Amino acid sequence: MSIYEKYEAVIGLEVHAQLSTNTKIFCGCSNKFGSQPNSNVCPVCLGMPGVLPVLNKQVVEYAIRMGLATNCSITTKSIFARKNYFYPDLPKGYQISQYEEPICQYGYADIELGNGSSKRIGVTRIHMEEDAGKSIHDAGNETLVDVNRCGTPLLEIVSEPDMRSAEEASKYLISIWQTVKYLGICDGNMEEGSLRCDANVSVRLKGETKLGTKAELKNMNSFRNVERAIEYEIKRQIDLIEEGGAVIQQTLLWNADKNIAAPMRSKEEAHDYRYFPDPDLVPVIVNKEWIASVEKHLPELPVIRRKRFIEAFKLPPYDAEVLTQEKELADYFESSLNGLSKKNEENYKFVSNWVMTDVLRVVNDEKLSITDFPVSPAHLSGMVNAIADGTISGKIAKDVFAEMLKTKEHPQTIIERKGLVQISDTGTIEKEIDSILSKFPNEISRYRGGEAKLMGFFVGETMKVMKGKGNPKVINELLVKKLKS
Ligand code: ADP
Ligand code: ZN
Ligand code: MG
């Protein structure tokens, strides 16, 4: 048994989601990303003396949405608290957050593991808070401060230490990412920092029930980096313990270029936040009616939609997972199904194949959003209908699809304009087959002598002279009949 197998990892994640509200959490400043530095500011978000914060109702609504989506109970009277610390990008000298009475608590998210089973990850709490500004350190010898981000609304989603591997942590993070995007409360962009994840990692001997000392990893800006940082840290801690050392509680910054996590300077870590209830803000009261109305308007969430795709459309779990990754993609797929003709209406898997291969390939290669995809769901199903009713072959469909991408035309228009209608007329096909067969007497006798795979050759030759337009099923049937000695 390798030393690594003696241990088990314990991981808990703290995820920050920047909410996509129009305005900031306690003032009317714009919450737009990428504005001119220090332009979206006012006395409230700069913390001038004598000003008063006013809570943005939309933030509470978004928090309730997330709480319900992660099966939390919603706190009817929650409190804002001041978290005090000094930093140049925090002009007020404190961050308004929630401490003792967060808006959501005691929830969970289910993740699906590879073997078809699922695992429940506890969501300890979700609280509302404001973001700090941004210090920009890479401007030569100077540090620049952009305070536009001060007062940007955040949800902090804290998990229980329930994950046991980097893979589980990554699956949980993906599920949070999908959920905020389905709910329309955060754009989920990890590179731009709209979704940030701190990972708490400890290890212990298998069978041990006490938690080990944890280290906190920060600064991972992609799913991949979160996974790599956690793997790195698990190994580091086990190696350390095996060498007789002990893990110390500290914050480590992930360096994606070097593939290592390095400790933050310890000074930056000495925290005593002196939390206390913010005297400028009244408690947030959420009544049952409000919760009920938010619940009524929740979209179908990814886990549920995945199940429905499997059951209603008999899709393999893999297809369901790929298709529900993004709400817009799942919508695209379902709209395409709506356009299927009556006798073709159960061709779910066929449509799924087209979306997963041809559509997604272009979306990924061209970095398109599915909502801007040149082939509309109606056009995609029009093309699938044309294949199903024998108007075009699957092979010609690839050409039609390529043309739809270029011209955005209806498939029928393209099929007519380019004369792509499949030829199924037996008389026409028979004539072509006869002339082909007359050219290959040797192949015919080899075929009759038992080389069955030559059938593919005859089909291919017939297709070639028919410029791909022959109906492959009819060609096959006729060839079988004619080649039977
Ligand atoms: P802190 O007081 O350092 O913020 P918390 O108890 O609030 O720690 O937990 C922060 C996060 O760390 C949570 O997601 C929690 O699940 C996780 N966590 C706590 N203890 C451990 C541990 N020993 N190992 C791994 N993760 C942990
Ligand atoms: Zn402001
Ligand atoms: Mg904590």
Side-chain angles (χ1 to χ4, degrees):
M1 180 159 84
S2 98
I3 56 165
Y4 301 105
E5 289 164 34
K6 293 197 305 200
Y7 291 86
E8 109 178 317
V10 174
I11 303 148
L13 300 187
E14 293 164 291
V15 180
H16 285 91
Q18 244 173 38
L19 300 180
S20 44
T21 51
N22 292 326
T23 55
K24 294 186 180 180
I25 181 168
F26 298 119
C27 63
C29 288
S30 162
N31 186 32
K32 218 174 117 211
F33 178 83
S35 304
Q36 184 75 14
N38 302 313
S39 62
N40 297 336
V41 289
C42 74
V44 173
C45 53
L46 289 175
M48 299 293 171
V51 296
L52 286 174
V54 177
L55 178 59
N56 181 345
K57 188 174 178 185
Q58 189 79 67
V59 173
V60 185
E61 170 122 9
Y62 283 7
I64 300 173
R65 271 193 215 172
M66 190 60 190
L68 293 173
T70 50
N71 313 288
C72 286
S73 71
I74 310 297
T75 312
T76 45
K77 184 179 173 186
S78 83
I79 307 283
F80 280 104
R82 290 189 184 178
K83 178 178 180 180
N84 300 280
Y85 65 94
F86 173 79
Y87 205 73
D89 62 17
L90 187 74
K92 283 213 296 277
Y94 61 87
Q95 177 191 17
I96 305 178
S97 181
Q98 295 196 294
Y99 188 54
E100 278 181 348
E101 298 292 342
I103 179 100
C104 315
Q105 298 185 83
Y106 319 121
Y108 61 84
D110 289 330
I111 57 170
E112 279 143 50
L113 303 176
N115 54 10
S117 68
S118 73
K119 177 169 176 175
R120 184 155 289 185
I121 309 296
V123 171
T124 317
R125 55 186 276 147
I126 301 176
H127 63 254
M128 304 177 278
E129 62 184 21
E130 60 178 349
D131 210 344
K134 219 181 201 165
S135 296
I136 297 143
H137 299 294
D138 53 10
N141 286 328
E142 294 159 339
T143 290
L144 305 175
V145 176
D146 177 5
V147 290
N148 276 350
R149 209 176 62 182
C150 284
T152 290
L154 298 178
L155 289 184
E156 178 171 340
I157 304 142
V158 182
S159 85
E160 288 292 301
D162 283 347
M163 289 149 277
R164 295 289 172 268
S165 66
E167 196 198 352
E168 286 184 14
S170 159
K171 287 199 164 151
Y172 165 79
L173 181 60
I174 289 173
S175 113
I176 295 294
W177 171 80
Q178 279 186 341
T179 306
V180 297
K181 294 198 13 144
Y182 266 68
L183 295 174
I185 64 175
C186 167
D187 68 24
N189 191 325
M190 290 186 74
E191 258 164 67
E192 287 179 359
S194 351
L195 193 82
R196 309 193 281 268
C197 169
D198 302 338
N200 298 273
V201 178
S202 65
V203 299
R204 62 185 173 192
L205 285 172
K206 282 184 182 157
E208 173 64 62
T209 50
K210 268 204 337 248
L211 291 175
T213 304
K214 72 177 158 73
E216 184 173 2
L217 293 160
K218 284 180 185 283
N219 200 39
M220 297 85 80
N221 63 356
S222 68
F223 294 114
R224 187 74 200 106
N225 279 332
V226 170
E227 241 184 284
R228 278 160 62 192
I230 293 173
E231 271 159 14
Y232 169 92
E233 180 57 15
I234 293 171
K235 179 168 184 307
R236 187 190 70 88
Q237 290 185 10
I238 294 174
D239 290 345
L240 186 65
I241 294 169
E242 284 288 314
E243 285 161 14
V247 176
I248 51 166
Q249 183 151 354
Q250 61 179 345
T251 304
L252 303 162
L253 293 185
W254 178 246
N255 183 327
D257 296 327
K258 295 191 187 151
N259 265 315
I260 56 165
M264 248 175 142
R265 273 171 294 151
S266 60
K267 215 170 51 184
E268 291 173 58
E269 254 212 291
H271 291 319
D272 177 9
Y273 294 127
R274 293 157 33 242
Y275 281 100
F276 64 87
D278 192 310
D280 289 344
L281 286 157
V282 294
V284 184
I285 307 294
V286 179
N287 60 25
K288 284 206 183 75
E289 290 72 32
W290 193 5
I291 299 173
S293 96
V294 174
E295 183 150 38
K296 210 175 109 193
H297 293 102
L298 283 185
E300 185 182 29
L301 291 162
V303 180
I304 312 281
R305 200 164 194 183
R306 217 165 290 145
K307 282 204 185 109
R308 183 166 62 80
F309 276 19
I310 294 169
E311 280 156 24
F313 305 137
K314 296 169 194 71
L315 291 181
Y318 176 77
D319 292 43
E321 174 149 359
V322 172
L323 295 171
T324 56
Q325 239 159 38
E326 284 196 79
K327 180 173 182 295
E328 292 74 14
L329 181 65
D331 291 344
Y332 180 93
F333 171 71
E334 284 210 77
S335 308
S336 302
L337 296 186
N338 288 338
L340 293 180
S341 59
K342 203 87 204 120
K343 71 170 188 215
N344 184 25
E345 72 188 347
E346 289 192 5
N347 257 332
Y348 313 123
K349 175 63 181 140
F350 196 55
V351 176
S352 165
N353 289 347
W354 273 91
V355 174
M356 292 205 307
T357 54
D358 301 72
V359 173
L360 280 185
R361 178 175 40 77
V362 179
V363 164
N364 293 332
D365 286 356
E366 318 266 320
K367 301 203 168 23
L368 293 175
S369 149
I370 186 71
T371 41
D372 303 329
F373 196 68
V375 179
S376 69
H379 288 180
L380 186 75
S381 44
M383 184 198 73
V384 170
N385 289 337
I387 303 170
D389 69 17
T391 310
I392 54 171
S393 65
K395 194 161 166 296
I396 290 290
K398 301 276 173 188
D399 300 337
V400 174
F401 185 77
E403 191 68 12
M404 290 198 292
L405 280 172
K406 268 194 276 176
T407 65
K408 298 190 180 180
E409 286 169 297
H410 193 279
Q412 209 52 48
T413 315
I414 294 168
I415 292 165
E416 277 160 29
R417 179 163 56 75
K418 302 192 110 186
L420 297 175
V421 178
Q422 174 167 261
I423 300 163
S424 303
D425 175 65
T426 38
T428 314
I429 294 176
E430 199 162 3
K431 234 191 274 157
E432 301 289 0
I433 286 179
D434 287 342
S435 84
I436 295 280
L437 293 183
S438 69
K439 283 188 218 149
F440 298 104
N442 284 341
E443 282 74 6
I444 296 177
S445 42
R446 275 166 57 202
Y447 175 84
R448 288 182 175 148
E451 274 188 63
K453 69 176 193 309
L454 276 169
M455 178 54 91
F457 166 79
F458 294 119
V459 174
E461 288 298 311
T462 314
M463 266 302 187
K464 218 190 294 171
V465 297
M466 298 190 72
K467 300 197 173 63
K469 287 191 271 178
N471 181 329
K473 194 163 156 261
V474 179
I475 293 176
N476 247 297
E477 283 165 6
L478 286 174
L479 275 170
V480 168
K481 210 161 67 192
K482 289 195 179 271
L483 288 170
K484 236 193 288 157
S485 40

